[in-house]
């Protein structure tokens, strides 16, 4: 799920990134620590999550487990786009996943026969309390 914060973050108005964990928002990091074009692995509750900030400032959060390799590496993937769709390319076998839906754009099924889809989590940036 994409969320674009107000780009007018200033030192006197910092932003905090939150991810929806069950029924409540969990603070995970400062917005400035998410480098554009790079991912970060986060532990939200008991789940590993890959969070990204694109060059426009939009935020995305997906499951960190690659359904093709089983490794928790999606946060190390490359951000890009395919036909205008924001994607992360898995660092293992290079499949592209739509960051808005989690769907793999290259293959419908993972090797174990399950759908090749990353879980998508709501993410937002809010003024730091």
């Amino acid at each position: 799920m994409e969320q674009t914060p107000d780009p007018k973050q200033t030192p006197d108005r910092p932003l905090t990134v939150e991810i929806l964990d069950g029924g409540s928002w969990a603070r995970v990091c400062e917005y400035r620590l998410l480098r554009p074009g790079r991912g970060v692995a986060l532990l939200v509750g008991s789940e590993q999550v890959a969070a990204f900030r694109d060059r426009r400032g939009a935020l995305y959060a997906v499951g960190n487990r690659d359904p093709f390799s089983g490794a928790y590496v999606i946060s190390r993937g490359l951000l890009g786009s395919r036909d205008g769709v924001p994607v992360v390319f898995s660092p293992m076998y290079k499949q592209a996943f739509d960051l808005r839906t989690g769907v793999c754009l290259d293959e419908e099924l993972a090797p174990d026969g399950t759908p090749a889809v990353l879980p998508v989590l709501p993410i937002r940036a809010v003024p730091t309390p």
Side-chain angles (χ1 to χ4, degrees):
M1 179 169 283
E2 172 185 3
Q3 193 266 338
T4 305
D6 180 348
K8 295 183 175 90
Q9 175 175 279
T10 63
D12 58 323
R13 189 173 164 253
L15 297 175
T16 297
V17 176
E18 298 180 337
I19 293 177
L20 191 60
D21 179 24
S24 62
W25 289 94
R27 283 186 226 158
V28 293
C29 68
E30 295 176 33
Y31 177 77
R32 68 177 180 80
L33 296 177
L34 287 178
R35 301 286 179 220
R38 303 218 177 206
V40 63
L42 303 166
L43 189 60
V44 179
S46 61
E47 299 297 320
Q48 283 196 36
V49 175
F52 300 92
R53 175 178 158 195
D54 70 14
R55 296 195 191 307
R56 296 179 341 226
L59 300 175
Y60 303 92
V62 296
N64 198 32
R65 184 181 177 278
D66 180 341
F68 292 93
S69 68
Y72 290 85
V73 295
I74 296 298
S75 62
R76 301 291 177 223
L78 297 174
L79 287 187
S81 65
R82 184 180 286 174
D83 297 325
V85 173
V87 298
V88 60
F89 294 94
S90 169
M92 296 300 287
Y93 301 119
K94 313 304 184 237
Q95 286 91 354
F97 293 90
D98 183 334
L99 285 167
R100 303 166 307 172
T101 64
V103 172
C104 180
L105 301 180
D106 298 315
E107 300 180 50
E108 289 183 26
L109 299 176
D112 64 2
T114 60
V117 179
L118 301 174
V120 177
L121 293 88
I123 186 170
R124 68 183 184 183
V126 296
T128 300

